[in-house]
Amino acid sequence: QVQLVESGGGLVQAGGSLRLSCKASGSIFSILVGGWYRQAPGKQRELVADISPAGSTNYGDSVKGRFTISRDAAKNTVYLQMSSLKPEDTAVYYCNARNVHWPSSTLSGSWGQGTQVTVSS
């Protein structure tokens, strides 16, 4: 199991920006897909973005062009830069690490504790 610790959430006005960080324990993280998911009240957890060990990225349709995922192998950390935030981006954001062979839809792997992002209108 990989331990994941998120940080960087908070309250921001619509149109603003936030950067989330996810620090992973263990060198195994370098061979795992790092991802961000979110879950709003009453809704299912959904993929926001993920990044493969080689750096290939994948984004949910609702965040394309506004969010950027990246990873720093030396720091064992995955980042999510969020810009042009909208009230509908309000959710708890969870960091995830999963095997490269598992689709994102399986919601498999290790999870962080979550960090709240609230976007006010």
Side-chain angles (χ1 to χ4, degrees):
Q1 281 279 22
V2 177
Q3 305 298 316
L4 303 170
V5 179
E6 302 107 330
S7 61
L11 173 64
V12 64
Q13 288 189 332
S17 299
L18 278 176
R19 189 177 81 154
L20 305 182
S21 299
C22 173
K23 174 73 172 176
S25 65
S27 59
I28 193 174
F29 185 67
S30 65
I31 64 169
L32 301 177
V33 176
W36 288 96
Y37 292 70
R38 67 186 182 188
Q39 188 165 19
K43 294 189 176 182
Q44 291 186 332
R45 191 169 295 191
E46 63 175 0
L47 176 71
V48 177
D50 62 27
I51 184 165
S52 73
S56 298
T57 58
N58 180 45
Y59 294 92
D61 288 340
S62 62
V63 306
K64 286 179 180 177
R66 299 189 298 123
F67 292 10
T68 302
I69 191 169
S70 61
R71 67 192 297 165
D72 184 329
K75 296 182 178 179
N76 245 18
T77 301
V78 173
Y79 303 97
L80 184 68
Q81 179 67 47
M82 305 184 293
S83 302
S84 302
L85 282 161
K86 305 175 181 179
E88 49 265 43
D89 294 317
T90 295
V92 178
Y93 284 68
Y94 295 92
C95 182
N96 171 265
R98 73 177 193 273
N99 187 291
V100 296
H101 301 297
W102 299 339
S104 60
S105 57
T106 60
L107 301 181
S108 57
S110 301
W111 294 92
Q113 80 284 358
T115 185
Q116 177 70 47
V117 172
T118 302
V119 184
S120 63
S121 57

